[in-house]
Amino acid sequence: MATANKPIGIFDSGMGGLTVARAIIDQLPKESFLYFGDTAHVPYGPQPGIAIRQYSESITRFLLEKGCKIIVVACNTATTAAIHHLRATWPDIHFIGMEPAVKPGAKATQSGKVAVLATARTFQTQRYSSLMQRFASNVELLENPCVGLVQRIESGQIEGPELEAFLKAILFPLLEQGADTFVLGCTHYPFLLPTFEKLLGPDIHIIDPAPALARHLKHVLDERDLLAPDDAKAKYQFFTSGPGKTFAQLAEHLLGFPVAVNEHVGLDVGSL
Ligand code: DGL
């Protein structure tokens, strides 16, 4: 198969990367993809970097063996922990990663206070410190690791009064401190956009980096002559390392079409 006809590989610790997959479908409707959700190991946030690197390496190997032409690391936590390692391991493959949208957040704020919601691991990394230094020297970043939120989303809780009460406890203190811009620095969180919008109201900017990532991906594919041809018919395949039932339900909810999941796909993660 000509390389341009091959699928894009996308992965995340679970279903968060589906928010990125949706932006890719919107902007690159001819592209096929293989999506891998590591539901056996989610959440990545509390785990050591070495474990996340091993998971990411095994998933990448799986996606490349299935013929993917490019890899999207649709997870901020895996990007910060593993993308250097992946690039060093496969120097001929192009990897696209996620990072919290600190720069657009700093541009959008009027109050000078930007709330950043991401996992604790993302905040602890050099990559994040560098984003802060480069783009946020004139604004104040109010960080919240949203402990437990990824697990709620993975269990299928994406709306309702219980979730709203949980989110209010995170969001309202940030509003009280003057944040007028909220950066969604974890790919799971855009699942909750309607609830964020409801709780935060119309005057607050909410930044989901997925559309910008999809634009960047389009540019990279175009530059390398890897864009699927105009007559291509997109095909989507989904794999999970653990259970796939809730994954399939949320994927259908978000993407709007029936989703079949190949679940419990074995990953070789060495001695972990
Ligand atoms: N979706 C993830 C991210 O963007 C990770 C969540 C987790 O597994 O802790 O950071």
Side-chain angles (χ1 to χ4, degrees), residues 161-204:
E162 202 190 317
L163 178 74
E164 286 181 20
F166 178 86
L167 283 179
K168 276 181 191 164
I170 294 172
L171 302 178
F172 287 6
L174 296 166
L175 283 178
E176 275 157 27
Q177 288 171 72
D180 66 349
T181 302
F182 283 65
V183 170
L184 305 184
C186 169
T187 52
H188 279 74
Y189 301 162
F191 266 106
L192 313 179
L193 258 179
T195 306
F196 279 126
E197 283 166 357
K198 177 175 165 193
L199 296 178
L200 293 172
D203 300 332
I204 300 292

Side-chain angles (χ1 to χ4, degrees), residues 20-253:
V20 177
R22 183 181 57 182
I24 293 174
I25 293 172
D26 288 348
Q27 292 190 42
L28 290 158
K30 300 291 169 199
E31 295 294 334
S32 296
F33 64 70
L34 262 62
Y35 182 101
F36 197 103
D38 195 5
T39 58
H41 302 116
V42 69
Y44 281 0
Q47 301 195 53
I50 177 137
I52 300 169
R53 275 193 288 286
Q54 292 201 28
Y55 303 147
S56 301
E57 184 182 324
S58 306
I59 296 168
T60 300
R61 183 162 295 115
F62 174 89
L63 294 171
L64 292 177
E65 280 170 8
K66 293 235 175 252
C68 292
K69 60 185 174 185
I70 190 166
I71 303 291
V72 176
V73 185
C75 173
N76 293 263
T77 311
T79 300
T80 49
I83 204 161
H84 290 308
H85 173 70
L86 299 177
R87 287 182 174 140
T89 308
W90 287 280
D92 298 335
I93 298 293
H94 197 88
F95 290 88
I96 294 189
M98 303 294 303
E99 60 188 16
V102 167
K103 187 180 177 187
K107 263 193 170 165
T109 183
Q110 304 266 308
S111 69
K113 294 189 181 176
V114 179
V116 185
L117 311 179
T119 65
R121 167 154 288 283
T122 296
F123 289 130
Q124 285 153 11
T125 55
Q126 172 60 34
R127 209 179 163 95
Y128 182 71
S129 313
S130 149
L131 280 177
M132 280 169 71
Q133 277 158 16
R134 282 181 293 147
F135 305 120
S137 50
N138 295 330
V139 302
E140 190 180 342
L141 298 181
L142 308 172
E143 292 149 6
N144 193 300
C146 303
V147 176
L149 186 53
V150 167
Q151 291 92 317
R152 279 177 191 264
I153 298 167
E154 285 288 322
S155 72
Q157 192 182 98
I158 55 166
E159 60 194 1
E162 202 190 317
L163 178 74
E164 286 181 20
F166 178 86
L167 283 179
K168 276 181 191 164
I170 294 172
L171 302 178
F172 287 6
L174 296 166
L175 283 178
E176 275 157 27
Q177 288 171 72
D180 66 349
T181 302
F182 283 65
V183 170
L184 305 184
C186 169
T187 52
H188 279 74
Y189 301 162
F191 266 106
L192 313 179
L193 258 179
T195 306
F196 279 126
E197 283 166 357
K198 177 175 165 193
L199 296 178
L200 293 172
D203 300 332
I204 300 292
H205 301 277
I206 304 174
I207 302 185
D208 168 10
L213 179 128
R215 274 196 300 281
H216 177 59
L217 172 63
K218 188 172 182 179
H219 174 76
V220 169
L221 290 174
D222 192 17
E223 216 176 45
R224 289 161 190 253
D225 270 338
L226 285 176
L227 278 174
D230 285 347
D231 60 354
K233 197 160 167 15
K235 247 181 75 185
Y236 310 123
Q237 293 179 68
F238 300 87
F239 302 85
T240 56
S241 53
K245 193 167 164 231
T246 312
F247 179 97
Q249 284 163 354
L250 262 73
E252 292 188 8
H253 171 86

